[in-house]
Amino acid sequence: QVQLVESGGGLVQAGGSLKLSCAASGSIFSINAMDWYRQGPGKQRELVAGITSGGKIKYADFVKGRFTISRDNAKNTGYLQMNSLEPEDTAVYYCNMNLRIAGLDYSYWGQGTQVTVSS
């Protein structure tokens, strides 16, 4: 049974920082790619950042220069460091991992973690 468990969300004032974690557990061979998404109140889920197995990184324009995505393959864990947070960043943040398990690739989602930025 593979699970993604997210942590690190919370309430922070504008200009503050949070670091989200997404840990994969179970019989995993490797992480192919990992993305972070978010869904704000009344909004559709949107891509925030992604990192491939080769380390290629992409960011949404609205987080460039403020957020940093990273991964620790040895720990099967991904991270999203969020700095200079703005009230508009308030959302539920979800991680998505494409995992190689027994020779096949599967997509998994975390349970989501709430990030609230006060003005």
Side-chain angles (χ1 to χ4, degrees), residues 70-83:
S70 62
R71 56 194 283 173
D72 185 335
N73 292 331
K75 296 181 179 179
N76 287 332
T77 300
Y79 306 95
L80 185 68
Q81 175 68 47
M82 305 186 295
N83 299 327

Side-chain angles (χ1 to χ4, degrees), residues 3-5 19 21-26 28-31 71-79 97 99:
Q3 278 189 314
L4 302 188
V5 178
K19 186 173 184 177
S21 299
C22 177
S25 62
I28 301 163
F29 182 74
S30 63
I31 301 174
R71 56 194 283 173
D72 185 335
N73 292 331
K75 296 181 179 179
N76 287 332
T77 300
Y79 306 95
M97 287 191 183
L99 303 175

Side-chain angles (χ1 to χ4, degrees), residues 17-103:
S17 298
L18 287 172
K19 186 173 184 177
L20 307 183
S21 299
C22 177
S25 62
S27 300
I28 301 163
F29 182 74
S30 63
I31 301 174
N32 293 327
M34 180 189 70
D35 296 317
W36 286 95
Y37 288 78
R38 72 184 187 185
Q39 188 165 14
K43 298 181 180 180
Q44 290 190 333
R45 191 172 297 190
E46 59 186 355
L47 178 68
V48 176
I51 183 168
T52 68
S53 58
K56 185 176 181 180
I57 292 174
K58 59 185 176 183
Y59 294 103
D61 287 343
F62 53 79
V63 302
K64 281 182 180 177
R66 300 189 298 126
F67 292 9
T68 303
I69 189 172
S70 62
R71 56 194 283 173
D72 185 335
N73 292 331
K75 296 181 179 179
N76 287 332
T77 300
Y79 306 95
L80 185 68
Q81 175 68 47
M82 305 186 295
N83 299 327
S84 302
L85 283 162
E86 304 167 351
E88 293 74 22
D89 296 317
T90 295
V92 178
Y93 284 71
Y94 299 90
C95 66
N96 176 268
M97 287 191 183
N98 184 277
L99 303 175
R100 174 61 59 92
I101 302 171

